[in-house]
């Protein structure tokens, strides 16, 4: 009997435990949107894991959708914390496209203009948004690699849903199927900041517009207990509405706040972090915001522990991270103006190849850099062989014409406003024409027509006009005129009119190689010599050109890493010969530069360049000319610290420079550069060019990266002349 009683007691105990396990409540987690304030969700998740709370369902909006989606895919709170602490938020907001993914044409044009506006039907428009959101999308695709084939969010490690808004109807859209990264991006597409995302024919924006706290949707999944984290702002008074971002947030919050009172009462464990000191873009204060989430969760720790088990903290499985994909097939939607070959060419990889996510990001960014697509989406599905099928959805950009603007000042060309008109598909599907006009102290223009055939031979036409007036220390003629009149400088009016036709292609997937023909009219006059002809040069020249270029710098101005090589050959075959002394000659020149950043702030810059002429008789007005800094270099004019603009000249030269740049704080630079050179006529005919440099100069400088380009001040001096020069420049060089 005792044995039977013991057995019955044990069975009863097991049944009670089993019953208790069966009755363990299913916890639903609701995460609201709030931009950077949503980082507080990470702090809450940390406390929930410490308290042993097993999350059964997650629903989120905007930033809540991103953090919730990552948690649902398998990440722990600590992992998500690490992800967000290492994220470049400037790149995230600006939709940063690495310079390395742009072709040489795009590099030049992206480094000229402060403002770009669409132009259609004789009307100037404004961009639909500041960012396409591609940087975010690429990042989330990589982070969700382990669940990339799942199309039903109920099949994720934790069932998940998020909310977006149909911009056409104003209705909320529940996203619980499809591509997880695309759903998260759509839910967080803040109007005006990010482009709307098209899913199933619907144009979607931030879910916070319609439902910033999806409690009912999570309950419908089967949640017994709701833990809600609310990082929404309360309505602010007029004194607090000081900028456009705050006004947009206020408008977005109006409806939500009215609904929130009812939703708050329906929340079993309500967590409200103190985020009053932060805005939707306060990403630089991420650590503080995460801490507010932890603090708010600990205030209700007693309630949290009732649905958890503090003795068994949650330890989540780390998603298996891989950086490679075997793409067995590439699918694209039907396009009107571009074929599959064009898309594959820009991607840079073909079906049946193994790629890294870096390769994928580079290909997607290359497509984006063309500006031919206003929307780029992609997802992965599993093929019959278990490999990845890449499905791409591209939206062609309806805008073909753009107006662009810039500003610049330097000591040579003086001040100018840059106006640009860019037209795509003028004659062919893959052509582009761009006209720059510089209005200011010295009129300039630059016309470029280019047919882009990618890795195949491309064709282009260029035309430019440059002019300046300045007192210079060289007469382009070995000082003969200066010595004759006993002068140290002359005032010149310099004008250059150049036209090129060229072919070029990408060589070895890295180098740009090209060749063509050039027509140039060069006119130089002076009023310094009153008793002589004021015209020093007024000739036409025809030449054959060839070039090889490689540029991996991450930035043109203040580069942190990368390598540059340029090699040019120009052979003059004809001249109208104003001076009656012309003979055919050639010019060869090359440049190498290297930048490497150490300790995140110190950048070492190395540069070397050289050039020489071939021929018994050369034209001195094509000599290499050194001096000055901060201007757009044309012909054979080159920067050189320690000497004023256009100070040193010769038909051959060699120059080296070493510099150190220290970013004292974000986008603010202190730098020091030393440069050395030998320059003269036929310096390479003897061994003297390898002797101690004849010319040297040094410069201290401060630079600031701004939306209109670099703002720089340089103070330089030369031990040879004892002269000091101070130069100021502002804006992108043109």
């Amino acid at each position: 009997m005792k044995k039977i009683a013991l057995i019955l007691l044990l069975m009863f105990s097991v049944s009670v435990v089993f019953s208790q396990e069966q009755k363990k409540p299913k916890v639903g987690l609701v995460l609201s949107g709030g931009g950077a304030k949503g980082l507080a969700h990470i702090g809450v998740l940390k406390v929930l894991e410490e308290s042993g709370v097993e999350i059964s369902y997650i629903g989120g909006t905007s930033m809540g959708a991103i953090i919730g989606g990552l948690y649902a895919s398998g990440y722990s709170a600590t992992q998500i914390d690490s992800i967000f602490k290492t994220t470049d938020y400037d790149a995230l907001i600006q939709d940063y496209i690495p310079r390395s993914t742009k072709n040489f044409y795009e590099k030049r044009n992206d480094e000229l203009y402060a403002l770009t506006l669409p132009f259609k039907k004789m009307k100037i428009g404004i961009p639909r948004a500041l960012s396409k959101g591609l940087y975010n999308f690429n990042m989330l695709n990589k982070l969700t690699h382990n669940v990339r084939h799942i199309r039903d969010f109920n099949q994720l490690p934790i069932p998940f849903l998020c909310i977006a808004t149909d911009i056409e109807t104003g209705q909320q859209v529940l996203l619980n199927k499809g591509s997880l990264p695309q759903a998260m991006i759509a839910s967080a597409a803040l109007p005006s900041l990010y482009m709307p995302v098209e899913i199933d024919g619907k144009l979607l924006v931030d879910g916070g517009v319609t439902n910033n706290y999806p409690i009912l949707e999570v309950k419908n999944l089967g949640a017994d207990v709701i833990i809600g984290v609310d990082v929404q702002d309360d309505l602010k008074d007029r004194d607090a509405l000081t900028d456009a971002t705050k006004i947009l947030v206020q408008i977005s919050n109006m409806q939500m706040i009215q609904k929130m009172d009812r939703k708050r009462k329906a929340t079993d464990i309500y967590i409200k972090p103190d985020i009053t000191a932060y805005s939707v873009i306060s990403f630089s204060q991420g650590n503080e915001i995460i801490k507010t989430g932890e603090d708010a969760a600990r205030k209700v720790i007693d309630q949290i522990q009732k649905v958890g088990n503090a003795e068994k903290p949650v330890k989540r499985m780390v998603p298996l991270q891989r950086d490679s994909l075997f793409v067995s097939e590439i699918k694209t939607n039907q396009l009107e103006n571009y074929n599959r070959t064009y898309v594959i060419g820009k991607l840079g990889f073909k079906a049946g190849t193994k790629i890294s996510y870096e390769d994928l990001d580079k290909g997607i960014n290359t497509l984006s850099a063309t500006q031919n697509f206003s929307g780029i989406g992609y997802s992965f599905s599993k093929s019959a062989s278990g490999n990845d099928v890449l499905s791409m959805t591209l939206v062609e950009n309806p805008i073909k014409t753009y107006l662009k603007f810039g500003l610049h000042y330097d000591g040579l060309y003086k001040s100018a406003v840059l106006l640009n008109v860019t037209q795509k598909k003028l004659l062919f599907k893959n052509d582009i024409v761009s006209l720059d006009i510089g209005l200011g102290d010295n009129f300039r223009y630059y016309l470029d027509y280019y047919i882009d055939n990618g890795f195949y031979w491309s064709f282009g036409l260029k035309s430019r006009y440059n002019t300046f007036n300045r007192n210079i220390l060289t007469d382009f003629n070995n000082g003969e005129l200066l010595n004759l009149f006993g002068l140290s400088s002359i005032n010149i009016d310099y004008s250059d009119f150049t036209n090129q036709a060229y072919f070029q292609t990408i060589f070895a997937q890295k180098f740009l190689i090209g060749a063509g023909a050039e027509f140039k009219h060069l006119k130089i006059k002076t009023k310094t010599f009153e008793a002589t002809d004021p015209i020093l040069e007024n000739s036409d020249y025809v030449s054959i050109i060839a070039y090889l270029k490689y540029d991996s710098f991450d930035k043109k101005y203040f580069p942190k890493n990368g390598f540059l090589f340029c090699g040019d050959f120009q052979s003059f075959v004809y001249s109208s010969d104003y001076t009656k002394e012309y003979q055919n000659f050639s010019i060869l020149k090359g440049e190498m530069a290297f930048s490497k950043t150490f300790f995140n702030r110190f950048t070492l810059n190395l540069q070397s360049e050289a050039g020489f002429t071939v021929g018994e008789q050369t034209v001195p007005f094509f000599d290499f000319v050194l001096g000055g800094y901060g201007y757009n270099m044309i012909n054979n004019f080159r920067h050189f610290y320690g000497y004023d603009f256009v100070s040193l000249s010769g038909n051959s030269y060699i120059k080296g420079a070493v510099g150190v740049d220290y970013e004292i704080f974000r986008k603010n630079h202190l730098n020091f550069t030393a440069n050395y050179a030998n320059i003269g006529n036929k310096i390479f005919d003897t061994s003297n060019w390898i002797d101690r440099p004849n010319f040297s100069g040094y410069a201290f400088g401060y630079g600031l990266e701004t939306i209109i380009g670099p703002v720089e001040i340089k103070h330089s001096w030369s031990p040879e002349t004892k002269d000091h020069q101070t130069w100021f420049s502002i804006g992108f060089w043109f």
Side-chain angles (χ1 to χ4, degrees):
M1 278 299 287
K2 290 184 178 179
K3 289 183 178 180
I4 295 174
L6 182 60
I7 292 172
L8 290 173
L9 181 62
L10 287 172
M11 291 177 63
F12 177 78
S13 300
V14 169
S15 67
V16 169
V17 172
F18 183 75
S19 176
Q20 289 176 341
E21 290 292 328
Q22 288 290 95
K23 292 180 180 179
K24 186 177 180 180
K26 293 182 177 181
V27 179
L29 180 64
V30 179
L31 304 177
S32 80
K37 295 174 293 184
L39 296 176
H41 296 320
I42 300 172
V44 173
L45 286 171
K46 287 182 177 181
V47 176
L48 294 179
E49 288 185 348
E50 292 172 8
S51 302
V53 179
E54 293 279 358
I55 305 298
S56 301
Y57 310 102
I58 300 177
T61 299
S62 197
M63 181 60 84
I66 292 177
I67 293 175
L70 291 175
Y71 198 75
S73 67
Y75 285 94
S76 68
T78 301
Q79 286 178 300
I80 299 174
D81 188 11
S82 298
I83 291 169
F84 280 87
K85 285 181 178 178
T86 56
T87 297
D88 185 343
Y89 290 105
D90 285 339
L92 185 145
I93 294 173
Q94 298 171 8
D95 206 18
Y96 172 69
I97 298 177
R99 190 171 181 267
S100 60
T101 65
K102 302 173 183 177
N103 63 30
F104 284 84
Y105 177 89
E106 292 157 355
K107 286 177 182 177
R108 176 193 179 274
N109 284 277
D110 287 353
E111 296 161 343
L112 273 180
Y113 312 112
L115 177 66
T116 298
L117 297 174
F119 188 73
K120 190 174 183 180
K121 296 181 180 180
M122 302 305 295
K123 295 181 179 179
I124 297 177
I126 59 173
R128 294 176 69 183
L130 296 176
S131 169
K132 294 179 185 177
L134 269 179
Y135 183 91
N136 313 13
F137 186 57
N138 288 336
M139 180 180 70
L140 291 176
N141 263 286
K142 182 177 181 179
L143 291 172
T144 57
H145 174 89
N146 62 305
V147 294
R148 68 191 183 282
H149 297 148
I150 294 177
R151 291 294 174 267
D152 183 351
F153 299 169
N154 287 323
Q155 302 302 316
L156 293 169
I158 299 176
F160 170 75
L161 61 84
C162 60
I163 304 297
T165 302
D166 189 326
I167 194 67
E168 293 180 296
T169 66
Q171 299 298 310
Q172 85 166 41
V173 177
L174 189 148
L175 300 173
N176 59 3
K177 298 182 183 299
S179 165
L180 178 61
Q182 192 175 45
M184 290 191 288
I185 288 294
S187 182
L190 183 67
S192 75
L193 181 58
Y194 293 113
M195 290 283 287
V197 178
E198 185 173 346
I199 299 179
D200 296 333
K202 298 177 180 178
L203 208 57
L204 305 180
V205 296
D206 196 319
V209 177
T210 52
N211 186 355
N212 204 29
Y213 193 83
I215 182 173
L216 179 61
E217 290 73 15
V218 175
K219 280 191 172 184
N220 289 339
L221 289 176
D224 300 310
V225 176
I226 296 293
I227 299 176
V229 188
D230 181 11
V231 293
Q232 301 174 88
D233 278 321
D234 295 324
L235 292 178
K236 300 181 181 298
D237 59 27
R238 65 179 67 186
D239 295 332
L241 301 174
T242 56
D243 56 55
T245 301
K246 293 178 181 178
I247 292 173
L248 283 172
V249 172
Q250 179 94 330
I251 295 171
S252 176
N253 285 344
M254 286 179 178
Q255 290 186 354
M256 294 302 103
I257 290 174
Q258 294 173 2
K259 298 176 182 178
M260 200 55 212
D261 187 55
R262 174 172 50 83
K263 292 185 176 184
R264 187 185 301 112
K265 294 176 181 177
T267 305
D268 298 291
I269 303 175
Y270 179 75
I271 302 173
K272 179 69 173 177
D274 183 8
I275 39 80
T276 53
Y278 311 102
S279 72
V280 294
I281 56 173
S282 298
F283 292 103
S284 61
Q285 298 168 283
N287 289 337
E288 298 175 20
I289 298 173
I290 292 171
K291 182 65 165 51
T292 66
E294 292 187 55
D295 294 340
R298 298 194 188 281
K299 288 181 180 179
V300 292
I301 192 68
D302 292 341
Q303 298 178 57
I304 291 173
Q305 289 177 347
K306 289 179 181 179
V307 294
N309 185 352
E311 296 180 358
K312 294 183 178 180
V314 174
K315 295 182 179 179
R316 307 213 66 207
M317 295 292 292
V318 178
L320 181 60
Q321 290 300 305
R322 295 180 180 176
D323 194 38
S324 62
L325 300 158
F326 188 88
V327 181
S328 59
E329 186 179 357
I330 300 175
K331 297 179 179 180
T332 63
N333 58 309
Q334 188 66 38
L335 299 174
E336 181 180 350
N337 294 299
Y338 304 96
N339 55 32
R340 174 182 167 85
T341 302
Y342 175 85
V343 174
I344 300 297
K346 291 298 180 182
L347 283 176
F349 58 86
K350 298 179 180 178
T353 57
K354 186 178 181 179
I355 64 170
S356 66
Y357 273 98
E358 183 179 352
D359 296 328
L360 176 64
D361 290 353
K362 184 177 180 180
I364 297 299
N365 286 327
T366 300
L367 273 172
S368 180
T370 66
Q371 297 185 343
N372 292 329
F373 304 98
S374 58
I376 301 176
Y378 61 91
S379 62
F380 295 100
S381 58
K382 187 182 292 186
S383 68
S385 61
N387 295 315
D388 287 289
V389 177
L390 174 62
S391 298
M392 300 194 65
T393 303
L394 305 173
V395 180
E396 295 184 61
N397 192 349
I399 304 299
K400 304 295 187 293
T401 308
Y402 295 89
L403 298 181
K404 305 178 182 182
F405 307 89
L407 295 169
H408 184 75
Y409 172 84
D410 64 60
L412 184 62
Y413 292 109
K414 304 302 180 182
S415 60
V417 175
L418 178 63
L419 306 177
N420 172 273
V421 179
T422 297
Q423 175 67 52
K424 293 193 170 190
K425 302 179 183 65
L426 181 67
L427 301 175
F428 305 96
K429 290 183 178 181
N430 54 337
D431 72 356
I432 183 170
V433 60
S434 173
L435 174 62
D436 291 328
I437 298 177
L439 301 175
D441 293 304
N442 296 283
F443 174 80
R444 289 171 280 164
Y445 86 82
Y446 183 87
L447 176 66
D448 192 359
Y449 176 78
Y450 185 57
I451 301 174
D452 184 8
N453 292 318
F455 289 97
Y456 300 99
W457 284 98
S458 302
F459 172 76
L461 298 170
K462 292 180 182 180
S463 178
R464 76 160 192 251
Y465 177 76
N466 287 80
T467 182
F468 65 83
N469 173 272
R470 184 168 180 88
N471 288 324
I472 62 175
L473 300 179
T474 181
D475 57 10
F476 302 98
N477 203 16
N478 299 321
E480 292 181 5
L481 288 174
L482 292 174
N483 292 333
L484 179 64
F485 290 92
L487 300 172
S488 60
S489 67
I490 60 173
N491 182 272
I492 66 164
D493 288 313
Y494 184 101
S495 64
D496 175 282
F497 176 57
T498 300
N499 302 275
Q500 290 181 355
Y502 61 93
F503 292 90
Q504 64 183 34
T505 186
I506 304 297
F507 173 70
Q509 298 187 341
K510 295 180 179 181
F511 291 88
L512 179 71
I513 184 171
E518 179 182 279
F519 169 81
K520 183 188 294 288
H521 180 78
L522 193 62
K523 185 175 183 179
I524 303 173
K525 62 181 182 180
T526 180
K527 295 181 180 179
T528 301
F529 312 119
E530 297 180 354
T532 64
D533 185 355
I535 306 298
L536 303 179
E537 168 68 319
N538 190 20
S539 302
D540 299 325
Y541 296 91
V542 176
S543 62
I544 304 299
I545 61 173
Y547 49 86
L548 177 66
K549 298 180 181 179
Y550 174 80
D551 183 359
S552 67
F553 277 146
D554 57 345
K555 297 187 291 185
K556 178 179 179 179
Y557 306 97
F558 309 108
K560 291 181 175 293
N561 294 285
F563 178 78
L564 171 73
F565 172 81
C566 295
D568 288 271
F569 171 78
Q570 186 171 17
S571 180
F572 291 85
V573 296
Y574 168 79
S575 174
S576 61
D577 196 13
Y578 176 79
T579 62
K580 309 300 181 183
E581 297 179 351
Y582 172 79
Q583 295 182 17
N584 290 351
F585 69 101
S586 301
I587 298 175
L588 288 91
K589 57 186 177 183
E591 176 187 4
M592 291 190 295
F594 171 80
S595 294
K596 178 67 176 179
T597 296
F598 302 91
F599 312 112
N600 295 323
R601 291 183 178 271
F602 288 91
T603 301
L604 175 67
N605 298 301
L606 302 175
Q607 182 199 26
S608 64
E609 53 186 270
F612 61 92
T613 58
V614 179
E616 292 299 321
Q617 181 71 38
T618 63
V619 177
F621 304 110
F622 288 101
D623 281 355
F624 300 98
V625 181
L626 305 183
Y629 177 79
Y631 61 93
N632 187 41
M633 297 175 289
I634 65 169
N635 296 334
N636 296 317
F637 287 61
R638 307 298 297 172
H639 295 150
F640 194 74
Y641 298 115
Y643 289 80
D644 202 3
F645 300 97
V646 198
S647 292
L648 306 172
S649 65
N651 63 23
S652 54
Y653 86 112
I654 185 170
K655 170 193 166 184
V658 57
V660 177
D661 183 282
Y662 176 61
E663 191 170 10
I664 50 176
F665 47 92
R666 184 173 169 270
K667 297 186 177 182
N668 287 261
H669 302 260
L670 292 178
N671 42 62
F672 171 78
T673 306
N675 58 193
Y676 308 91
N678 279 332
I679 185 168
N681 289 335
K682 300 186 180 298
I683 66 171
F684 296 110
D685 287 357
T686 68
S687 62
N688 293 335
W689 68 272
I690 61 175
D691 292 344
R692 184 176 179 179
N694 294 324
F695 305 96
S696 62
Y698 306 89
F700 281 108
Y702 165 78
L704 173 66
E705 299 178 66
T706 75
I707 191 173
I708 63 171
V711 177
E712 294 186 271
I713 184 169
K714 298 277 190 181
H715 181 78
S716 76
W717 72 96
S718 172
E720 293 89 45
T721 64
K722 312 301 181 183
D723 290 338
H724 288 251
Q725 308 286 338
T726 300
W727 303 308
F728 178 75
S729 66
I730 181 171
F732 299 113
W733 297 345
F734 63 84

